Amino acid sequence: MNRSKVVAVVTGAIAILLSIAYLLIVQFLDFRGEMVPAPTDLSQLEKPSIPIVAEVELAHMERDFAIVRHPS
């Protein structure tokens, strides 16, 4: 076989391997179940506790800033 035929066979083999890998990935993703879209109404989500922590930290920062700004 000359070089161009070897390149064609190798390229074809790579293409077939990639297509089989793609089909396996698609089958795996499809096997996981129905895709559910993200909620569009944010009022249904639980409110995180992070703002409470942020308010407490903000109060500490304001207190520390006031101490630094107005030394006794």
Side-chain angles (χ1 to χ4, degrees):
M1 269 207 266
N2 59 11
R3 181 172 178 189
S4 61
K5 288 185 180 182
V6 172
V7 170
V9 169
V10 170
T11 305
I14 291 172
I16 290 172
L17 289 175
L18 286 175
S19 63
I20 291 172
Y22 172 77
L23 289 175
L24 291 174
I25 291 171
V26 168
Q27 289 297 319
F28 172 72
L29 293 176
D30 193 35
F31 177 74
R32 295 189 308 168
E34 183 178 348
M35 291 181 57
V36 180
T40 56
D41 185 13
L42 298 178
S43 66
Q44 296 175 354
L45 298 176
E46 293 182 27
K47 292 184 179 181
S49 61
I50 295 173
I52 296 170
V53 173
E55 289 176 10
V56 171
E57 289 179 1
L58 181 61
H60 288 292
M61 288 173 58
E62 288 174 350
R63 184 192 67 202
D64 294 342
F65 181 70
I67 291 172
V68 171
R69 190 173 178 186
H70 304 289
S72 352

